[in-house]
Amino acid sequence: MEEKIPLQLAIVYLFRSHTNYLRKTLKNTGITIGQFPVVVETHKHETISQKELADILFLSEGTISKTIKQLEDKGIIEHEVNPENRRQNKISLTEKGSEIAEKVKYTEINWEKKVIEEIPPEELDNFFDNLKKITNKAVNYSLKE
């Protein structure tokens, strides 16, 4: 009989394998794993504010600001001051950024398809239902502690 992997270890293995996949996929794009979600999320919008981006990605505005600066230095993202609110920057991808985003936008979908391809749909539905319950319980538990 195969030994069960503890939940926390299974999550670590899943996370590390995903990180390795992303690292290989992004190797020749000029963006890092940390910059990847900013590029992909910005690509979904014509323009987006730094605050909106931070909220969507659950990152601090400081982290978003630093990442945007790095991507600007690479010619991937550009920003302009919002004329309606001078304290807000409007972020958009450059042509180079759009080309990169088009290359990598299906990265997550492809990875997920590959890792779940052999699991029957009814088992997947059950798995995702249970994963949602576990996640909600873990979040609530950590907030109480």
Side-chain angles (χ1 to χ4, degrees), residues 17-63:
S17 67
H18 178 255
T19 300
N20 288 336
Y21 171 81
L22 266 181
R23 191 172 286 119
K24 289 175 189 173
T25 303
L26 299 175
K27 188 175 184 178
N28 297 316
T29 64
I31 62 173
T32 66
I33 292 171
Q35 296 165 345
F36 169 76
V38 172
V39 170
V40 171
E41 196 58 45
T42 303
H43 185 257
K44 292 178 185 177
H45 304 84
E46 190 171 321
T47 61
I48 188 168
S49 74
Q50 286 183 228
K51 170 122 177 62
E52 290 169 322
L53 207 46
D55 291 346
I56 290 167
L57 297 174
F58 299 102
L59 295 170
S60 72
E61 288 186 60
T63 298

Side-chain angles (χ1 to χ4, degrees), residues 24-115:
K24 289 175 189 173
T25 303
L26 299 175
K27 188 175 184 178
N28 297 316
T29 64
I31 62 173
T32 66
I33 292 171
Q35 296 165 345
F36 169 76
V38 172
V39 170
V40 171
E41 196 58 45
T42 303
H43 185 257
K44 292 178 185 177
H45 304 84
E46 190 171 321
T47 61
I48 188 168
S49 74
Q50 286 183 228
K51 170 122 177 62
E52 290 169 322
L53 207 46
D55 291 346
I56 290 167
L57 297 174
F58 299 102
L59 295 170
S60 72
E61 288 186 60
T63 298
I64 289 295
S65 182
K66 180 179 167 187
T67 304
I68 286 169
K69 173 72 173 113
Q70 293 167 345
L71 291 167
E72 277 184 307
D73 291 347
K74 294 178 180 184
I76 294 169
I77 276 185
E78 57 192 3
H79 82 277
E80 62 181 67
V81 176
N82 184 348
E84 296 169 13
N85 180 351
R86 307 246 341 120
R87 293 182 300 163
Q88 187 181 68
N89 288 322
K90 293 168 64 174
I91 310 303
S92 59
L93 293 177
T94 62
E95 188 175 326
K96 176 182 177 181
S98 292
E99 289 171 9
I100 292 170
E102 281 297 321
K103 260 194 228 179
V104 302
K105 73 179 180 181
Y106 296 110
T107 299
E108 299 288 48
I109 294 167
N110 293 338
W111 181 81
E112 185 174 312
K113 279 183 182 177
K114 194 68 179 163
V115 299

Side-chain angles (χ1 to χ4, degrees), residues 136-145:
N136 288 335
K137 190 122 180 164
V139 169
N140 289 333
Y141 181 71
S142 68
L143 293 174
K144 290 178 185 175
E145 293 300 308

